[in-house]
Amino acid sequence: MYKGGEGYWSWIFHRITGVGVALFLFIHVADTFIIGWGPGVYNAVTSLYRNPVFKIAEVILVAAVLYHALNGIRVILVDFWGEGVLKQRSIFWAEVVVFVILFVPTAILMLSRL
Amino acid sequence: MATNGAGRPRPRGSGFELYSWLFMRISGVLMLIFLLGHLYIMHIINSVEVVNYNFVAARWGTPLWRTWDLILLLLAALHGSNGLRILIDDYIHSHGWRVVALAVLYVLAIGFILGGSLVLFTFQPVAS
Amino acid sequence: MKVKLRIKRFNPQKDRKPYWQEFEVEAEKTDRVLDALHQIRWYQDGTLGFRRSCAHGICGSDAMLINGKNRLACKALFADLGDYVTVEPLRGLPVLKDLIVDMEPFFAAYRAVKPYLINNDQPPLKERLQSPEERARFDDTTKCILCAACTTSCPSFWVNRDYLGPAAIVNAHRFIFDSRDQAAEERLDILASRDGVWRCRTIFNCTDACPRGIQVTKAIEEVKRAIMYAKV
Amino acid sequence: MKYHTYDAVVVGAGGAGLRAAIELTDVASVAVVTKLYPTRSHTGAAQGGVCAALGNTEEDHWEWHMFDTVKGGDYLVDQDAAEVMCREAIDEIYELEHMGLPFNRTPEGLIDQRRFGGHTRNFGEGPVRRACYAADRTGHMILQTMYQQSVKHDVHFYNEFHVFDLILSEDGRAAGVVAYELATGEIHIFHAKAVLFATGGFGRAFRVTSNAQTLTGDGMAVVYRRGIPLEDMEFYQFHPTGMYKMGILLSEAARGEGAILRNGLGERFMERYAPTLLDLAPRDMVTRAIYQEIREGRGAEGKDYVYLDLRHLGKQVIDEKLPDITDFVRTYFHIDPAKDLVPIQPTAHYAMGGIPTDIDGRVVVDEKNTPLPGLYAAGETACVSVHGANRLGTNSLLDILVFGRRAGAHMAKFVKENDLPPLPKDAGERVQAMLDSLLKANGHESVAKIRTDLQRDMMDLAGVYRTAEGLTKMQGILGELRERYQHIGLQDRGSLFNAELVDAVELGFLLDCSEALVSSALAREESRGGHYREDFPKRDDQRFLSHTLAYKRDNGQIELRYKPVVITRFQPKERKY
Ligand SMILES: Cc1cc2nc3c(=O)[nH]c(=O)nc-3n(C[C@H](O)[C@H](O)[C@H](O)COP(=O)(O)OP(=O)(O)OC[C@H]3O[C@@H](n4cnc5c(N)ncnc54)[C@H](O)[C@@H]3O)c2cc1C
Ligand code: HEM
Ligand code: SF4
Ligand code: F3S
Ligand code: FES
């Protein structure tokens, strides 16, 4: 395993979350498409989402989107803000802090509805 | 090994990768609004408990939400599938498999964009 | 103190695949991995293959993967590494023997970016003028010693050997931003290709690995923006 | 065996080799054969600067430069060569700038210049700013620029090919070289009309050196074995400021920027040795001053080193003008030169002597300067002689450029006017026989041990201070080492990157160079420049205002001859700074 720094790990997670979210998106578009078949089918399909397993998956999804979005901002800062590339490490750790601040309450809220 | 200046054909830019790169960033920024908004409303304020046919139907009653979701659909599908294209480009090296993977990706992407838009444009709520 | 080196060995004339071998050497804290490699070659196993020349981080011969990171063996001190050190050849270039890799693909990428000053005007009788500020603009990228530590630390390069790689971009940057050069557009065109700067995903392994402390990713980003401003 | 035919072969891809190749490539077919990738050459390690009397920051003239060169070399300099070098320096630097070399600039946009040891204004009045520089990476920039130009001119390289022999045709011309391809173990014969040796120095003959592991005097030894003499080998320069124990160089540029030397008591001891130029006196003097301090018990902590003090320069100067040496000190000593004194010790640095040549790089083989047709040498491996008994800082980078170019230009002319000499049938046989025996070598002696002993004893007995007794002892030791060398054992019998085999061959080269050095030094019963005989502490122009030529005869004996120094403008005077 190459012992990379912040940039390396943030990229690995960005990739994983990007693919994860994209796969979910395709499923999500598919299920929404089903709405065209009318309420019966749609409600039957979306009720699957109420299964606790899916609810935990949903929390993970939110985490993934949140991380991907925050790190996307980091990447964009690195790309367009001249200083960004020199401060990428600090930006990464700031991103981690923001992630925790946003995600922890959200996760508690979502899981409390389990 | 003996070498002179030669050895590698000189690459030339086509410009496509630049636009792909720019698009990933622009769509990313836009999605910060559209996607995080969507997530917040659908999964956090509300929850999958309340999301059912009527809920969606009510939401799509206003053009604002229909436009919102349409934009989001386009952005996310394009951003996501372009992202997957980049991954295929990175990891699938055999020419044949690459063509297959890209073909599947493009068919899916176009299918979902067309299908999703179709629903968004044509959806007429029926009472349930 | 005693240090242990775990070295990835491979001799294509004898071995079907690479294997690990451990050596124990007497070393001081201020000794470098290169000193230990020398001890091994000189007194334990004369067949150990590695490159080196200057022994103080200026010639770029001995970049290798040490404790999971690309470094120059002559700049990696046991004081910073501890007494158990793993050494592998650089990734992404064909291994020729033990720690020696084929550098040709690396230099081919370098040559592809026109790494020389292009100025078709008749030169003046004396020097061309250049202000200290103009000179400072590309100072960082003139430091490159072509050691390949950056390119071979880049995950994007590992999976795509056609990627020109950070070192080639650094050397293109050195000319693109030199006020005396006239071929920036040509180089930007080369770097805008599929195997140019867009293969960089801002992973920063290159910057972390560069033994000359060059802000490699910064240089790449500057090239990306130059391409963008030229075309958009 | 593989055969190649070219108009010209350049051996070595440091500054000198590349400069010649660039000059040649467009007009002739050229192969550059080098044991290192070009950018690994030790020219890249040069730090401080390359001088030319541009007069960009203060008045300066090439005549002043020439005077300093002659005086710095303790009047052993051939003044026709020094004149060529100092005159052509100016256009050479402009040419380099046009090739893209990123020099530091003055506020007006001119090439900036700094002070360096022994370079003075108006024939010795005080220090002058003559060294053009790029931070403390001047050699790096020169090597990179030369390599960039070689890419542009499509120079044909054979990288990691070790030249082990010179081919002479029966009619006494150079006919090519024999090289060993490291990657495959194959022997290659390069058949050519002209051959240039630009293989650098042999600092690895000493224990503490600023030179790369690979600087083993190959070119010198190869021609020496073929009966060509080596000139002025006794003149070896010890640079005053090497990092303690490691030998890594801390450029004179540090003192050029104002750093000073201090002994263990904190005194600026150069005040006693060179009241005018102080720390910027020529290297031989500063080195001896350091040794003197150490001998008299004023070394740091009573040991064999003193300090270089950069603290008063301020962080900005240190970071901007001396970034690399600062990095060396931080990396290897874990100290900060802006706050701490840096332990330094003289380090074996530069061979003033080498393969004798004229001002066109043609190798000359006797005291009448008879050229050997088709054979050329340039750079540290050659002796033109522009450095005489002691080289001034920044004159070597200049030497490799000016005489690299001149050699290239002359070769271009030569290959146009001459045919390919016939290739002797047994061209590769000597090398083949040598390799065969090395691949079978299974004696009990270790190459590394012999080399370590050589380096230790050369440092002690043939280093800065020399005596008849010590040098005679060293001759004996060399005989023993040679005997041991006959009984070495090698483990690697393979043909891929057999570095052990190369190490063994290089040790043989080092032994040859050391032998020539010691014999020449023993015979020179005077002190001049870098050659200091404690038993003959004075310069003796009566007996020794002449160049030594050392020949290796077939019976292994060394024959010494002498050739007159060319004196044109400046008559020898006592050397004071
Ligand atoms: C640390 C340091 C700092 C210095 N600073 C300065 C300075 O500031 N100013 C200054 O003027 N001078 C300086 N010098 C001196 C100067 O740098 C050198 O003398 C000069 O660069 C030598 O150049 P070269 O081309 O002769 O040889 P090198 O650059 O040493 O090149 C030798 C070439 O020969 C090749 N070679 C050797 N043996 C063989 C073989 N058997 N077969 C094939 N190829 C072979 C090598 O591969 C290499 O390419 C410094 C020297 C050192 C060591
Ligand atoms: C919410 C805001 C989002 C932002 C700010 C954002 C930002 C980015 C950026 C800047 C990149 C380019 C990374 C690079 O070139 O190195 C990227 C890549 C990617 N994104 Fe997003 N993105 C967002 C949402 C999404 C969504 C919803 C999906 C899924 C549909 C997605 C899937 C991907 C994929 C698959 C990649 C490619 C990953 C890679 O190349 O490593 N992203 N994203
Ligand atoms: S940029 Fe740094 S790491 Fe890359 S080749 Fe140059 S010196 Fe080595
Ligand atoms: S590691 Fe590779 S992805 Fe870019 S920032 Fe460096 S080149
Ligand atoms: S040996 Fe030259 S960089 Fe390490």
Side-chain angles (χ1 to χ4, degrees), chain C residues 46 51 53 74-75 128 174, chain D residues 100 105 160 214 327 332 491:
Chain C
R51 290 191 179 102
S53 181
C74 62
K75 274 188 109 177
R128 292 192 182 95
R174 182 245 168 276
Chain D
R105 300 288 175 154
E160 301 189 321
T214 43
D327 181 57
Y332 297 115
Q491 293 176 313

Side-chain angles (χ1 to χ4, degrees), chain A residues 14-15 18 21-22 25 68-69 72, chain B residues 24-25 28 31 35 76 79-80 83 86:
Chain A
H14 194 81
R15 225 169 220 190
V21 175
L25 174 82
H68 188 92
Chain B
M24 289 306 268
R25 275 126 191 99
M31 273 194 290
L35 175 66
H79 179 104
I86 292 171

Side-chain angles (χ1 to χ4, degrees), chain C residues 106 143-151 167 170 209-212 214 216:
Chain C
F106 174 79
K143 297 188 309 205
C144 176
I145 53 174
L146 296 168
C147 68
C150 54
T151 297
V170 159
C210 178
R212 302 284 287 152
I214 297 172
V216 180

Side-chain angles (χ1 to χ4, degrees), chain C residues 104-122:
Chain C
E104 260 326 300
F106 174 79
F107 279 102
Y110 166 80
R111 290 191 295 263
V113 301
K114 299 191 167 238
Y116 41 83
L117 190 86
I118 300 177
N119 183 322
N120 295 322
D121 295 345
Q122 180 68 28

Side-chain angles (χ1 to χ4, degrees), chain C residues 154-156 163 166 200-206 217 220:
Chain C
C154 175
S156 191
Y163 174 30
C200 166
R201 324 263 189 238
T202 51
I203 297 169
F204 285 94
N205 277 3
C206 53
T217 313
I220 300 175

Side-chain angles (χ1 to χ4, degrees), chain D residues 192-228:
Chain D
K193 299 176 190 173
V195 174
L196 171 73
F197 278 90
T199 50
F202 66 98
R204 282 287 145 185
F206 297 94
R207 181 170 53 87
V208 177
T209 177
S210 65
N211 282 197
Q213 299 280 342
T214 43
L215 284 177
T216 46
D218 303 14
M220 297 182 199
V222 161
V223 302
Y224 183 57
R225 288 175 183 183
R226 283 285 177 191
I228 292 152

